[in-house]
Amino acid sequence: MPRRIDDTIDGGPDDPEDLLPDHSILSFEEYMAMQRAIGNGTRFKILYRLKRDGPMSAKELTESLGIDGNSLHYHLNELVDVGVVENRKENTPDRDGLYSYYRATAIGEGLLEHGVEALMRREQVFRDAYGRDE
């Protein structure tokens, strides 16, 4: 069993896997897969748009982001595979057939809000703290 260390005393455990609670629902590898997935600019933009604007169809995403359909579906599949986006399908068809839409999952929203988005929003604070005016 990994040894837990009080993060406030020494800055965190030696092994980053020890950051996970004892009965984590996701493994360290699953968290890293999510991080890699949203580390791609196109996938980050897709997840950001879904978080900001809510559920969208692939067609709506293609139009709003200017990404061709094949590329979009590749990136959506990557995001769905790691659990940061989910694909929901309506059970009853409308005049255009079965409607499918994508939405950010709670963990996907959390990764953005408390990860890269938070860093981007705090850039000026970092610049002030480290004296960089480039």
Side-chain angles (χ1 to χ4, degrees), residues 12-61:
D14 288 336
D15 185 345
E17 290 188 44
D18 291 342
L19 291 167
L20 292 172
D22 288 332
H23 301 291
S24 177
I25 58 173
L26 298 173
S27 70
F28 179 77
E29 290 77 19
E30 289 169 316
Y31 278 108
M32 293 301 97
M34 287 179 203
Q35 190 67 38
R36 279 189 302 277
I38 68 166
N40 172 279
T42 300
R43 290 191 288 268
F44 181 89
K45 289 176 183 179
I46 292 168
L47 183 58
Y48 178 83
R49 182 60 55 102
L50 291 172
K51 177 185 172 279
R52 190 190 81 176
D53 296 342
M56 299 176 84
S57 69
K59 181 179 178 182
E60 292 168 325
L61 283 165

Side-chain angles (χ1 to χ4, degrees), residues 11-114:
D14 288 336
D15 185 345
E17 290 188 44
D18 291 342
L19 291 167
L20 292 172
D22 288 332
H23 301 291
S24 177
I25 58 173
L26 298 173
S27 70
F28 179 77
E29 290 77 19
E30 289 169 316
Y31 278 108
M32 293 301 97
M34 287 179 203
Q35 190 67 38
R36 279 189 302 277
I38 68 166
N40 172 279
T42 300
R43 290 191 288 268
F44 181 89
K45 289 176 183 179
I46 292 168
L47 183 58
Y48 178 83
R49 182 60 55 102
L50 291 172
K51 177 185 172 279
R52 190 190 81 176
D53 296 342
M56 299 176 84
S57 69
K59 181 179 178 182
E60 292 168 325
L61 283 165
T62 296
E63 292 169 357
S64 69
L65 295 172
I67 302 169
D68 75 81
N70 289 335
S71 180
L72 177 74
H73 282 286
Y74 168 78
H75 290 294
L76 282 169
N77 287 337
E78 293 289 315
L79 294 168
V80 168
D81 286 348
V82 298
V84 296
V85 167
E86 69 178 351
N87 182 1
R88 307 282 301 206
K89 295 180 177 139
E90 296 294 327
N91 293 330
T92 54
D94 62 12
R95 64 183 174 88
D96 297 322
L98 288 175
Y99 180 74
S100 175
Y101 63 92
Y102 295 87
R103 70 180 193 138
T105 63
I107 200 157
E109 290 183 4
L111 278 171
L112 286 185
E113 188 173 329
H114 301 291

